[in-house]
């Protein structure tokens, strides 16, 4: 997992050819994107703007993707994200669904990080993460950008 701030996206953008493009696109409009899905490059980069209910640490499950990089961006309040290296996952809670590119795990995160508006977190396919952690039952406006990785 890579943590950064939109004041400097250059280092994170070097990790994948489409990551720099996605970060610059988000940086220019993350506070003004309308709710719903916005496609930047069909089947390659898109953003989901949502307002989910935050959950307590113990209630949120780790998730893992295989085909897409996630970029998480809190817009209006801090968000806590749990992290566990994918190689440490042991307990499958919900098997991988290729149509949704997601699997869920019952393992607990090794570490937690707090993102503030203006920050972002990049989760590569091997990064298990538990997003949307915060005051239980309160809503957060956030963006999750998907970037196809194909490796």
């Amino acid at each position: 997992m890579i943590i950064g701030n939109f004041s400097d996206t250059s280092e994170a953008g070097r990790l994948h050819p489409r990551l720099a493009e996605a970060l610059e696109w988000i940086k220019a409009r993350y506070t003004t994107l309308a709710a719903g899905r916005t496609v930047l490059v069909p089947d390659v980069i898109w953003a989901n703007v949502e307002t989910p209910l935050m959950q307590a640490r113990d209630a949120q499950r780790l998730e893992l993707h295989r085909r897409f990089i996630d970029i998480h961006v809190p817009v209006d309040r801090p968000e806590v994200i749990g992290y566990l290296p994918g190689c440490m996952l042991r307990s499958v809670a919900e098997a991988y669904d290729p149509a949704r590119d997601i699997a869920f795990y019952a393992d607990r995160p090794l570490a937690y990080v707090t993102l503030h508006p203006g920050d972002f977190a990049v989760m590569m396919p091997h990064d298990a993460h538990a997003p949307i952690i915060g005051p239980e039952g309160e809503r957060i406006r956030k963006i999750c950008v998907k970037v196809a990785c194909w490796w």
Side-chain angles (χ1 to χ4, degrees):
M1 179 166 58
I2 292 113
I3 306 301
N5 185 277
F6 284 115
S7 63
D8 182 12
T9 60
S10 61
E11 291 300 317
R14 294 180 190 176
L15 297 172
H16 184 277
R18 293 287 196 168
L19 197 51
E21 179 181 3
L23 287 167
E24 287 304 311
W25 182 81
I26 301 164
K27 180 180 179 177
R29 58 188 50 80
Y30 77 94
T31 59
T32 61
L33 281 172
R37 186 177 188 150
T38 302
V39 177
L40 175 59
V41 180
D43 301 320
V44 178
I45 304 172
W46 69 89
N48 291 316
V49 180
E50 49 198 19
T51 56
L53 290 173
M54 298 174 81
Q55 297 186 27
R57 286 184 183 199
D58 292 340
Q60 189 58 290
R61 298 185 298 178
L62 286 162
E63 59 185 63
L64 191 74
H65 312 289
R66 293 183 184 169
R67 297 184 339 231
F68 290 90
I69 297 166
D70 270 5
I71 306 171
H72 290 255
V73 181
V75 176
D76 64 351
R77 64 184 322 150
E79 173 187 18
V80 175
I81 298 178
Y83 170 78
L84 182 70
C87 63
M88 295 177 70
L89 292 168
R90 301 289 181 259
S91 181
V92 176
E94 196 176 314
Y96 179 73
D97 178 350
R100 294 174 45 220
D101 187 40
I102 196 165
F104 291 97
Y105 294 85
D107 303 88
R108 300 310 313 156
L110 177 67
Y112 292 88
V113 63
T114 300
L115 299 179
H116 297 273
D119 294 338
F120 62 88
V122 176
M123 267 64 81
M124 303 306 277
H126 57 271
D127 292 328
H129 54 286
I132 317 169
I133 297 172
E136 194 170 6
E138 293 186 18
R139 293 207 177 270
I140 181 172
R141 181 174 173 80
K142 72 169 292 177
I143 303 166
C144 182
V145 177
K146 297 289 196 172
V147 178
C149 58
W150 298 314
W151 62 63

